[in-house]
Amino acid sequence: MEFKERILTAMNHEEPDRVPTMGLILDQSTVNQVLGLDTVDIVGMLRNPETKDVVVQMMSDESSRFTNYYQVHCGVQESAIKLGFDANWSLYAAYMQLVQDPQTPIGYVFHDAFGRVWEFTSDEKGNMLLNYTRPLCETEEQWEEWVESKSAFIDKVIGEVGVFHKKVVEDFGDRIMPIGYAAPGVFENCWQPIGFVNFTKLIFEKPDFIKRVIKFHTDLYLRYLEQVMDSDVEIVLTGDDLAQKTGPMLRPQMIEDLFGESYRRVAEAIHKKNKKMIFHSCGNIYQLLDKFIEWGFDGILTLEPTAGVDLGKVREHVGHNLVLVGNLDVSYLLVRGTRQEIEDAVKKALRDAARGGGYILSTSHSHSAVDANRLRWMVEASHQYGNYPLIS
Amino acid sequence: MSGDTRQNLQDSLLALDMQTTIVQVKSVIEGNSEINATEAADAITSALEIVGRRFQNGEWYLAELVYSGEIAKAALELLSPAMTLGIASGRGTIVVGTVAGDMHDLGKDIFINYSKSAGFNIVDLGVDVPTGTFISAVREHQPVALGMSCLLTITAPEVGKVIQALENEHLRDVVRVIIGGAALTETFATEVKADAFAPDAVTGTDIIKRWSE
């Protein structure tokens, strides 16, 4: 069975020849490790007065924003292919613009199209990391102004999303199955540009404004999704972290009241195009499992063990109403774990979730300390122990 | 104002009713109530303890925790000048920051929001805090606790570095260290010799309350 059929069979809750694997490759450190590339210390160059201007010019060049990002993403897909994954997520994240910010140590930050500030740091090897740090639209007025002033840029980004996913499928689709990641999702696009504390206050104090924000972002997200789906991507990954370490960020009924219709519309739009939908949420999602089924999701990704999520318990709860993707630990196992520990974890995941299909083996997330050799061991263990019918 | 103001204050906060809470607080300040400002602040703090229990029991969620904290903060800010006892910061100081290399502040800010409302004075060092800044702040503020937040696995070793630096600077015995964040666990806290791990803001605040008694 070839990779695409393997993934689609599992997505239909049938047993393929073996349990499929999906990569969450994204970080430059992983790409460098797999492809043997040298680290480019962009943050260091931004700090260095001699190189700063050149780097700023390069990072601000609107005409090469798409091309530069695509080139980096090619390394992502090549790495996932080299590691032996059947699929890999494919994310267009070049929706940011470099902006001067004297309050930060480097003097520059990214502002994204939706109203977030992203700051730079680097990992211990010098690879650039980006973190969402603060909102740009803390009041209703600031939000209105932002949305209006950025509408042309948002339109441009949405157009680029379509081109990006088409190109990824054309260039890599014969060697790996790109999973079209449409992120950030509606929930994150609503609260992060406003900030969680402010967003919460506004839910209670200005509910009509919040409903307007949600409607705006749902409509926008559906346009974004259409672009992803216009490529030959067959599975769409939608992304929103609805939970944190101990449970949902909002009361499940509040999520239903505010976002339920949005998620139903998203699932319907994807199914209308005969595509499958996997939903990404970090955190402890137990209390939302029934909602995920009710909203029409086909599968869920991360199943984060550091948030106490047990794969077997999730399978027991959802049965074969949801495809499960992920759960392998990235806090220790795929950073420093031994080969034996990784094999044991793979065997446990297969035992917990893979019977009857409906499980795609994957890490629970990506980050720059995840070790490429350990990812390879994970894939190899799936080849060794993941052949159907499963033995133990 | 008629009736039991103390109870009404608790009820309005637990109903997440900012407007009614503030009206009652103003009534206390204007002397139109049977309780004084200190007693009103005490009622607010007690209500927050109920909020904390509800959150820990899974009856309430992050949004309710955050908003009740906002209501309490607004109420205590109004009451503070009229209080005979300084309950607003009477429990002592907590120095808080996200470790070097990590820019995430949501968990830290929720902890600050809640612990401030519970009566602690907070020194917020922000995000991406170098070890030296934690050490200087502990030396300067002599807090009840040093709280470190860390969302990223790759920056988790920074927590151990700060604790080691506290030892090197002979400050480990004068401050208790509590850690929290997505990347951290109870086991990790033991490994790096932190005094406690907090899975959430309420548990963290409860632990520090015990330390401050």
Side-chain angles (χ1 to χ4, degrees):
Chain A
M1 202 175 259
E2 56 101 53
F3 57 88
K4 197 166 153 184
E5 190 185 353
R6 186 172 298 128
I7 292 275
L8 291 173
T9 304
M11 285 299 295
N12 284 325
H13 297 276
E14 290 165 14
E15 293 187 350
D17 59 340
R18 67 166 184 252
V19 174
T21 55
M22 176 172 157
L24 308 185
I25 311 294
L26 190 65
D27 290 274
Q28 194 57 41
S29 63
T30 312
V31 174
N32 290 349
Q33 195 187 349
V34 176
L35 303 182
L37 304 175
D38 291 331
T39 301
V40 181
D41 182 4
I42 292 173
V43 175
M45 288 194 285
L46 274 169
R47 283 198 172 109
N48 181 346
E50 285 179 21
T51 48
K52 183 178 148 183
D53 289 346
V54 179
V55 177
V56 167
Q57 197 183 359
M58 187 190 78
M59 290 171 78
S60 313
D61 182 6
E62 186 58 21
S63 64
S64 60
R65 182 170 48 78
F66 179 91
T67 321
N68 290 343
Y69 183 84
Y70 189 76
Q71 203 175 347
V72 170
H73 188 77
C74 288
V76 165
Q77 295 298 342
E78 288 293 355
S79 301
I81 292 164
K82 250 188 135 173
L83 288 169
F85 285 105
D86 294 308
N88 191 59
W89 63 8
S90 172
L91 170 67
Y92 187 62
Y95 47 76
M96 304 182 188
Q97 293 174 310
L98 194 71
V99 175
Q100 263 189 312
D101 187 337
Q103 289 176 326
T104 60
I106 298 166
Y108 286 88
V109 294
F110 276 122
H111 286 183
D112 77 19
F114 311 102
R116 300 174 186 81
V117 177
W118 298 77
E119 288 187 37
F120 310 102
T121 49
S122 44
D123 65 18
E124 56 187 13
K125 293 172 201 149
N127 297 294
M128 186 169 80
L129 300 174
L130 280 178
N131 293 306
Y132 158 71
T133 57
R134 55 197 148 93
L136 285 163
C137 317
E138 291 180 273
T139 64
E140 187 173 352
E141 293 71 28
Q142 284 172 342
W143 185 85
E144 301 284 7
E145 200 182 316
W146 180 271
V147 166
E148 201 185 318
S149 69
K150 291 292 168 185
S151 72
F153 182 53
I154 290 171
D155 288 346
K156 191 173 175 194
V157 166
I158 287 177
E160 289 165 0
V161 166
V163 178
F164 172 81
H165 285 283
K166 272 193 191 102
K167 247 180 110 49
V168 172
V169 175
E170 274 167 24
D171 293 347
F172 298 96
D174 58 339
R175 291 184 290 154
I176 197 163
M177 186 170 190
I179 307 292
Y181 194 5
V186 179
F187 178 60
E188 287 182 0
N189 273 345
C190 286
W191 81 257
Q192 289 181 342
I194 293 173
F196 190 72
V197 173
N198 279 318
F199 184 76
T200 301
K201 275 179 83 169
L202 290 164
I203 287 175
F204 291 102
E205 294 174 6
K206 289 191 171 182
D208 289 342
F209 167 62
I210 289 301
K211 279 179 196 158
R212 200 147 43 84
V213 172
I214 293 169
K215 165 97 175 54
F216 174 86
H217 277 297
T218 305
D219 293 342
L220 186 63
Y221 192 73
L222 287 167
R223 285 175 58 207
Y224 198 107
L225 264 183
E226 288 298 325
Q227 291 293 318
V228 176
M229 293 191 296
D230 271 354
S231 67
D232 284 333
V233 160
E234 294 188 53
I235 301 172
V236 181
L237 178 62
T238 65
D240 256 340
D241 287 340
L242 284 173
Q244 41 88 34
K245 209 173 172 97
T246 58
M249 289 169 77
L250 310 181
R251 179 177 290 277
Q253 188 56 48
M254 187 184 267
I255 297 178
E256 171 61 55
D257 294 344
L258 292 172
F259 294 95
E261 192 198 333
S262 305
Y263 288 131
R264 282 188 188 89
R265 286 177 68 192
V266 166
E268 272 167 31
I270 293 170
H271 293 151
K272 217 171 170 177
K273 297 254 170 155
N274 292 319
K275 297 183 193 276
K276 296 278 187 187
M277 171 190 178
I278 299 173
F279 182 78
H280 167 133
S281 175
C282 294
N284 187 314
I285 41 72
Y286 282 121
Q287 292 182 59
L288 297 170
L289 290 172
D290 292 338
K291 283 282 157 209
F292 294 158
I293 297 169
E294 198 186 313
W295 291 333
F297 299 171
D298 299 304
I300 51 170
L301 164 74
T302 82
L303 304 164
E304 195 186 345
T306 42
V309 178
D310 178 272
L311 193 57
K313 223 170 132 184
V314 175
R315 172 61 82 213
E316 199 180 319
H317 187 97
V318 302
H320 276 278
N321 290 304
L322 286 173
V323 172
L324 306 180
V325 189
N327 188 245
L328 264 73
D329 169 63
V330 289
S331 67
Y332 165 77
L333 187 72
L334 288 147
V335 177
R336 287 178 289 142
T338 64
R339 189 164 193 152
Q340 187 60 52
E341 285 170 323
I342 290 169
E343 283 188 9
D344 290 345
V346 168
K347 284 196 261 183
K348 183 181 182 313
L350 303 182
R351 247 190 339 263
D352 286 347
R355 290 188 187 287
Y359 178 62
I360 298 174
L361 181 77
S362 157
T363 59
S364 55
H365 217 289
S366 65
H367 64 73
S368 71
V370 169
D371 176 48
N373 292 321
R374 286 169 171 80
L375 290 174
R376 198 189 315 273
W377 294 345
M378 180 185 86
V379 173
E380 285 170 3
S382 80
H383 293 178
Q384 194 174 346
Y385 303 105
N387 294 301
Y388 284 104
L390 295 174
I391 292 165
S392 58
Chain B
M1 179 181 284
S2 62
D4 183 347
T5 307
R6 191 185 162 83
Q7 187 62 48
N8 292 342
L9 268 172
Q10 287 200 4
D11 290 347
S12 61
L13 190 140
L14 293 173
L16 298 173
D17 185 343
M18 171 81 87
Q19 212 176 351
T20 307
T21 308
I22 296 305
V23 167
Q24 290 182 95
V25 162
K26 282 182 178 164
S27 167
V28 170
I29 294 165
E30 286 158 8
N32 299 325
S33 160
E34 79 284 7
I35 62 171
N36 63 30
T38 306
E39 289 165 329
D42 189 41
I44 298 283
T45 311
S46 303
L48 271 187
E49 282 173 13
I50 298 171
V51 168
R53 281 201 297 277
R54 287 182 179 180
F55 180 75
Q56 284 173 319
N57 294 338
E59 296 162 49
W60 274 28
Y61 293 81
L62 210 49
E64 287 135 345
L65 181 73
V66 166
Y67 192 56
S68 58
E70 286 294 298
I71 298 173
K73 203 163 67 182
L76 291 173
E77 269 167 21
L78 285 172
L79 289 166
S80 220
M83 278 156 56
T84 50
L85 294 169
I87 193 167
S89 57
R91 290 189 192 270
T93 298
I94 308 172
V95 168
V96 190
T98 304
V99 296
D102 196 332
M103 301 291 201
H104 295 87
D105 62 3
L106 178 60
K108 171 182 74 66
D109 287 352
I110 288 168
F111 170 76
I112 288 173
N113 181 290
Y114 185 77
S115 55
K116 204 185 256 183
S117 312
F120 286 100
N121 176 44
I122 303 293
V123 176
D124 179 10
L125 302 176
V127 296
D128 192 16
V129 180
T131 300
T133 308
F134 279 117
I135 301 302
S136 307
V138 168
R139 195 171 276 129
E140 184 186 344
H141 299 285
Q142 302 183 350
V144 179
L146 167 64
M148 283 185 275
S149 169
C150 173
L151 188 98
L152 305 170
T153 308
I154 49 168
T155 55
E158 294 298 323
V159 174
K161 284 184 198 164
V162 175
I163 294 173
Q164 186 58 51
L166 286 170
E167 273 180 25
N168 297 346
E169 298 293 321
H170 309 291
L171 290 167
R172 188 64 188 91
D173 294 337
V174 302
V175 67
R176 282 176 155 141
V177 176
I178 185 163
I179 63 174
L184 309 181
T185 59
E186 191 88 54
T187 314
F188 181 82
T190 310
E191 271 174 29
V192 295
K193 297 179 189 163
D195 295 292
F197 164 73
D200 57 64
V202 175
T203 309
T205 305
D206 282 351
I207 292 168
I208 302 172
K209 270 186 203 166
R210 286 200 295 276
W211 291 347
S212 72
E213 280 165 8

